[in-house]
Amino acid sequence: MGCSGGRVRFNFGKALSKASVFFTMVLIFTYFFYCLAGLCDSAPRTLYSQRGVDRDYDALDDHRRVLDDLRPARNRTDSAEAPRMDAPTGRLLPPRATDSANASARSGGIPVSNTFGTKRFPQAIIIGVKKGGTRALLEFLRIHPDVRAVGSEPHFFDRFYDKGLEWYRNLMPRTLDGQITMEKTPSYFVTKEAPGRVCTMNCQTKLIVVVRDPVTRAVSDYTQTLSKNPGLPSFQSLALKNSSTGLIDTTWSAVRIGLYAKHLENWLQHFPLSHFLFVSGERLVSDPAGEMGRVQDFLGLKRVVSDKHFYFNQTKGFPCLKKPEGSSRPRCLGKSKGRPHPQIPTEVLQRLRDFYRPFNHHFYQISGQDFGWD
C-alpha cells in the first residue's frame, strides 16, 4: 500500500513536470510567431534604451544631412523619394513616406517636428550681371543664418529649362520655416526667355541685379575669357567694328551685357519694378556692410551681416570675410577674382564710355538710381 502510494505521487510529479515543459514550449512558440508577425515591437522598453536608440538615429540623420549638403546638388538624395529608417524597429519605411509618418516612427508614435527642412523653389534670385560682383554678394549672403543658397549656378532658366521645374526644385538646399532659398545665375538677366520662365514658376520672386560700370565690366569679362583662351584677339579688335570709324560692336557679348536698360525693359514686361533690387558692384567693394544692409532689408531679413564680418584685402583689391569662428584663415574669393586687367588704349575706353552714356542715363531713369558711371 505504501509502495503503491509512492508510485502515485511519483507519477503525479512526473506528469506535472511534463505539463510545465509543455506550457513553456507553447509560450516560447507563441512569442516566436508573435515576433514574426512584427508585433513584439510594441512591447514596453526601458526609458534608457528608447532614448539610446533615438539618440543614435538622430546622430546618424545629422551625419547624413551634413554629407547631403557636401554632395553636388544633382547627386543628393531627396528623403521624400528614398526609403527611410524606422528608428525603433530598424525597418525601412517605403519610398515617399510622409514626414509625419517618419517623425512618428522615430519617436515611438509621438509626433515630433521634422528638422530636415523642405526643398523649395527660390524666393529670391540673383539674376545678373556677369562680372558685376554676384559671387561676392552670394558669399556674403550665405553668412546669414536665414539664407540657404545653391553653391553652383543652376542655369535652369537659360540652359536646362527643358528638364522641368521639379528637376530645378531638387537642386535647391533644404530650408526650415523662416529661411530663404536663393540661387544666382548672372546670365538670366540677358536671356530673353528667362523673365517669362521665372514668372511661370512664381511671379512674386524677388530679383537682385548687381550692376557695375559697363566699361569696367566689359574689360573684366574680357580678362576672364583671356585667362581661359590666351590666343584671344585684342580687346579693341573685339570691341570695335572698325578701328578707323570707332563704331562699337554690340554683337560682342562683353559689350552687349552692359546695355542694362535694354535687358531691364525685357524683365519689366513680366515683373514690377518693386520686385527688383539693384546692387552697386562698386559700393559692394567700397562699403560691403552698407550695401548688404540694403540687400537684407529687401529680402525681409534681420540685419545680421555687418561691418564686423569684413576686412579689405589690399592684394586682391576687394573685401574678404573675416576668419569665421573655428576656422584657421579668413575667407576670400578664389584666384579667379581680382585678376589684374590688361592695358587697354585710353581712346578705346573713351569710345566705350561715350557709347554707353545714353544707355546708362536711361538705366538710371528706369531703376531710379544714379550709379555715377559718367
Side-chain angles (χ1 to χ4, degrees), residues 27-38:
L27 288 174
I28 290 173
F29 279 110
T30 301
Y31 183 76
F32 176 74
F33 285 112
Y34 187 69
C35 284
L36 279 182

Side-chain angles (χ1 to χ4, degrees), residues 32-48:
F32 176 74
F33 285 112
Y34 187 69
C35 284
L36 279 182
L39 298 174
C40 53
D41 292 328
S42 60
R45 303 171 182 263
T46 66
L47 183 61
Y48 176 82

Side-chain angles (χ1 to χ4, degrees), residues 332-344:
C332 275
L333 298 180
K335 294 180 181 179
S336 64
K337 309 300 180 182
R339 297 187 189 94
H341 291 176
Q343 290 293 321
I344 310 294

